[in-house]
Protein backbone atom coordinates (compact mmCIF):
# COMPACT_ATOMS: atom_id res chain seq x y z
CA UNK A 1 0.00 0.00 0.00
CA UNK A 2 1.35 3.44 -0.91
CA UNK A 3 1.30 6.49 1.28
CA UNK A 4 -1.29 8.93 -0.17
CA UNK A 5 0.78 11.91 0.95
CA UNK A 6 3.83 10.81 -1.03
CA UNK A 7 1.93 9.99 -4.22
CA UNK A 8 2.13 12.93 -6.65
CA UNK A 9 -1.26 14.04 -7.86
CA UNK A 10 -2.47 16.77 -10.15
CA UNK A 11 -4.61 19.22 -8.23
CA UNK A 12 -7.66 20.53 -10.02
CA UNK A 13 -8.26 24.04 -8.73
CA UNK A 14 -11.38 24.62 -10.82
CA UNK A 15 -13.52 22.30 -12.90
CA UNK A 16 -15.66 24.42 -15.25
CA UNK A 17 -19.02 22.75 -15.76
CA UNK A 18 -21.64 25.03 -17.26
CA UNK A 19 -19.92 27.99 -18.81
CA UNK A 20 -16.34 27.06 -19.51
CA UNK A 21 -15.13 30.53 -20.57
CA UNK A 22 -16.56 32.35 -17.54
CA UNK A 23 -15.45 29.67 -15.10
CA UNK A 24 -11.97 29.56 -16.62
CA UNK A 25 -11.75 33.34 -16.25
CA UNK A 26 -12.85 33.13 -12.62
CA UNK A 27 -10.21 30.46 -11.98
CA UNK A 28 -7.46 32.46 -13.71
CA UNK A 29 -8.40 35.63 -11.85
CA UNK A 30 -8.47 33.79 -8.51
CA UNK A 31 -5.12 32.14 -9.19
CA UNK A 32 -3.48 35.44 -10.18
CA UNK A 33 -4.87 37.12 -7.10
CA UNK A 34 -3.75 34.30 -4.81
CA UNK A 35 -0.15 34.88 -5.88
CA UNK A 36 -0.35 38.28 -4.22
CA UNK A 37 -1.31 36.94 -0.82
CA UNK A 38 1.48 37.54 1.65
CA UNK A 39 1.30 36.01 5.14
CA UNK A 40 0.84 38.61 7.85
CA UNK A 41 0.57 41.53 5.42
CA UNK A 42 -2.92 40.93 4.08
CA UNK A 43 -5.46 43.55 4.99
CA UNK A 44 -8.35 42.71 2.69
CA UNK A 45 -9.16 40.42 -0.21
CA UNK A 46 -12.20 41.49 -2.19
CA UNK A 47 -14.06 39.64 -4.93
CA UNK A 48 -16.45 41.76 -7.00
CA UNK A 49 -18.84 40.27 -9.57
CA UNK A 50 -21.14 42.40 -11.76
CA UNK A 51 -23.66 41.37 -14.38
CA UNK A 52 -24.69 44.29 -16.58
CA UNK A 53 -27.50 44.52 -19.12
CA UNK A 54 -27.55 47.25 -21.76
CA UNK A 55 -31.21 47.83 -22.65
CA UNK A 56 -30.45 49.77 -25.85
CA UNK A 57 -28.19 47.11 -27.42
CA UNK A 58 -29.87 44.25 -25.52
CA UNK A 59 -26.50 42.78 -24.59
CA UNK A 60 -25.08 41.35 -21.38
CA UNK A 61 -21.66 41.82 -19.81
CA UNK A 62 -20.08 40.05 -16.85
CA UNK A 63 -17.20 41.48 -14.83
CA UNK A 64 -15.14 39.68 -12.22
CA UNK A 65 -12.55 41.60 -10.21
CA UNK A 66 -10.31 40.43 -7.39
CA UNK A 67 -8.48 42.98 -5.25
CA UNK A 68 -5.78 42.38 -2.65
CA UNK A 69 -5.11 45.28 -0.29
CA UNK A 70 -2.08 45.21 2.01
CA UNK A 71 -1.50 46.91 5.38
CA UNK A 72 1.15 49.19 3.87
CA UNK A 73 -1.37 50.94 1.56
CA UNK A 74 -0.50 48.95 -1.57
CA UNK A 75 -3.32 47.23 -3.48
CA UNK A 76 -3.45 44.98 -6.58
CA UNK A 77 -6.52 44.34 -8.75
CA UNK A 78 -7.24 42.04 -11.67
CA UNK A 79 -10.45 42.30 -13.68
CA UNK A 80 -11.85 39.99 -16.36
CA UNK A 81 -14.70 41.21 -18.60
CA UNK A 82 -16.71 38.77 -20.75
CA UNK A 83 -19.90 38.82 -22.78
CA UNK A 84 -21.95 36.21 -24.67
CA UNK A 85 -20.97 35.65 -28.30
CA UNK A 86 -23.29 37.15 -30.89
CA UNK A 87 -25.72 34.66 -32.43
CA UNK A 88 -25.37 33.64 -36.10
CA UNK A 89 -28.38 35.81 -37.01
CA UNK A 90 -26.69 38.92 -35.55
CA UNK A 91 -28.78 39.03 -32.36
CA UNK A 92 -27.08 39.52 -28.99
CA UNK A 93 -26.25 36.30 -27.12
CA UNK A 94 -28.16 35.04 -24.11
CA UNK A 95 -26.73 35.65 -20.62
CA UNK A 96 -23.97 33.21 -19.59
CA UNK A 97 -24.08 31.47 -22.99
CA UNK A 98 -20.90 31.04 -25.09
CA UNK A 99 -18.96 33.67 -23.13
CA UNK A 100 -16.06 35.41 -24.88
CA UNK A 101 -13.29 37.51 -23.35
CA UNK A 102 -13.73 41.24 -23.85
CA UNK A 103 -10.83 42.53 -21.79
CA UNK A 104 -8.35 41.97 -18.99
CA UNK A 105 -7.29 44.74 -16.65
CA UNK A 106 -4.54 44.91 -14.03
CA UNK A 107 -4.19 47.72 -11.52
CA UNK A 108 -1.61 48.65 -8.87
CA UNK A 109 -2.41 51.48 -6.48
CA UNK A 110 -0.98 52.95 -3.31
CA UNK A 111 -2.43 55.16 -0.59
CA UNK A 112 -0.27 57.18 1.79
CA UNK A 113 -1.53 59.63 4.40
CA UNK A 114 0.60 62.81 4.19
CA UNK A 115 -1.25 64.77 6.90
CA UNK A 116 -4.37 64.29 9.00
CA UNK A 117 -6.52 65.44 6.06
CA UNK A 118 -4.37 64.92 2.92
CA UNK A 119 -3.53 61.64 1.15
CA UNK A 120 -1.24 60.79 -1.76
CA UNK A 121 -2.63 58.10 -4.14
CA UNK A 122 -0.63 57.05 -7.22
CA UNK A 123 -2.13 54.35 -9.46
CA UNK A 124 -1.15 52.45 -12.61
CA UNK A 125 -3.67 50.57 -14.79
CA UNK A 126 -2.99 48.31 -17.77
CA UNK A 127 -5.88 47.08 -19.91
CA UNK A 128 -5.95 44.71 -22.89
CA UNK A 129 -9.08 44.28 -24.99
CA UNK A 130 -10.02 42.58 -28.25
CA UNK A 131 -8.72 45.37 -30.45
CA UNK A 132 -6.81 47.71 -28.14
CA UNK A 133 -4.33 48.04 -25.26
CA UNK A 134 -4.00 50.92 -22.87
CA UNK A 135 -2.00 52.00 -19.88
CA UNK A 136 -2.84 54.79 -17.49
CA UNK A 137 -0.63 56.22 -14.75
CA UNK A 138 -2.63 58.45 -12.40
CA UNK A 139 -2.08 60.59 -9.33
CA UNK A 140 -4.68 61.85 -6.83
CA UNK A 141 -4.52 63.99 -3.70
CA UNK A 142 -7.74 63.47 -1.69
CA UNK A 143 -8.30 66.15 0.96
CA UNK A 144 -10.89 65.76 3.72
CA UNK A 145 -12.65 69.08 4.21
CA UNK A 146 -14.73 67.88 7.17
CA UNK A 147 -18.39 67.08 7.85
CA UNK A 148 -18.29 64.25 5.28
CA UNK A 149 -17.03 66.44 2.43
CA UNK A 150 -13.80 65.98 0.51
CA UNK A 151 -12.04 67.30 -2.59
CA UNK A 152 -9.87 65.07 -4.80
CA UNK A 153 -7.69 66.89 -7.32
CA UNK A 154 -5.87 64.54 -9.66
CA UNK A 155 -4.21 63.87 -12.98
CA UNK A 156 -3.94 60.91 -15.35
CA UNK A 157 -2.24 60.24 -18.65
CA UNK A 158 -3.80 57.46 -20.73
CA UNK A 159 -2.29 55.96 -23.88
CA UNK A 160 -4.44 53.64 -26.02
CA UNK A 161 -3.03 51.71 -28.97
CA UNK A 162 -5.23 49.88 -31.49
CA UNK A 163 -4.57 46.69 -33.48
CA UNK A 164 -5.89 48.13 -36.73
CA UNK A 165 -4.49 51.20 -38.48
CA UNK A 166 -6.30 53.53 -36.08
CA UNK A 167 -4.10 56.26 -34.60
CA UNK A 168 -2.79 55.96 -31.02
CA UNK A 169 -4.89 58.00 -28.60
CA UNK A 170 -3.29 60.03 -25.80
CA UNK A 171 -5.31 61.66 -23.02
CA UNK A 172 -4.03 64.20 -20.50
CA UNK A 173 -6.72 64.75 -17.89
CA UNK A 174 -6.74 67.04 -14.86
CA UNK A 175 -9.66 66.63 -12.50
Amino acid sequence: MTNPLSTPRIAHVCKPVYNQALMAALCATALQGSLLLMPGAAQALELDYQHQYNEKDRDHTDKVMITQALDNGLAFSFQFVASPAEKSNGQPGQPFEHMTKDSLKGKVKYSHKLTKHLKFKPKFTYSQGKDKKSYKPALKFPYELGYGFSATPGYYYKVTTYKDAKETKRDNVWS
Side-chain angles (χ1 to χ4, degrees):
M1 177 172 241
T2 60
N3 181 353
L5 296 177
S6 65
T7 306
R9 296 178 186 229
I10 298 173
H12 293 282
V13 177
C14 294
K15 291 184 178 181
V17 178
Y18 298 106
N19 185 333
Q20 292 179 343
L22 181 59
M23 290 307 291
L26 283 169
C27 290
T29 304
L31 288 173
Q32 288 174 344
S34 68
L35 296 174
L36 301 173
L37 295 174
M38 294 180 210
Q43 181 182 28
L45 180 66
E46 180 181 322
L47 179 65
D48 181 14
Y49 169 78
Q50 297 178 19
H51 178 83
Q52 299 174 344
Y53 176 71
N54 180 334
E55 192 173 320
K56 181 181 175 193
D57 298 331
R58 300 180 60 204
D59 63 355
H60 299 265
T61 303
D62 291 283
K63 296 180 180 183
V64 179
M65 183 169 64
I66 189 166
T67 302
Q68 173 67 57
L70 305 176
D71 286 338
N72 61 6
L74 197 58
F76 305 91
S77 297
F78 296 97
Q79 182 181 45
F80 176 79
V81 181
S83 58
E86 191 176 273
K87 293 182 180 181
S88 58
N89 63 3
Q91 293 294 316
Q94 294 298 312
F96 311 110
E97 206 176 70
H98 306 293
M99 300 296 282
T100 60
K101 178 186 87 162
D102 286 342
S103 67
L104 291 171
K105 185 184 285 189
K107 189 184 303 184
V108 178
K109 55 187 176 179
Y110 178 71
S111 179
H112 180 70
K113 201 167 199 172
L114 295 172
T115 68
K116 183 179 175 182
H117 299 285
L118 181 65
K119 289 182 182 176
F120 167 66
K121 290 186 161 186
K123 177 170 60 171
F124 181 81
T125 306
Y126 175 79
S127 180
Q128 182 175 354
K130 290 178 182 177
D131 60 348
K132 63 183 175 180
K133 292 180 185 179
S134 67
Y135 65 89
K136 181 171 95 171
L139 195 56
K140 290 184 179 180
F141 290 93
Y143 186 80
E144 296 176 22
L145 300 169
Y147 303 105
F149 291 99
S150 65
T152 307
Y155 170 77
Y156 74 82
Y157 178 71
K158 183 176 180 181
V159 176
T160 306
T161 57
Y162 299 91
K163 288 184 179 177
D164 57 8
K166 195 172 180 182
E167 186 176 325
T168 298
K169 183 178 176 184
R170 300 177 195 287
D171 298 317
N172 279 300
V173 178
W174 290 94
S175 61

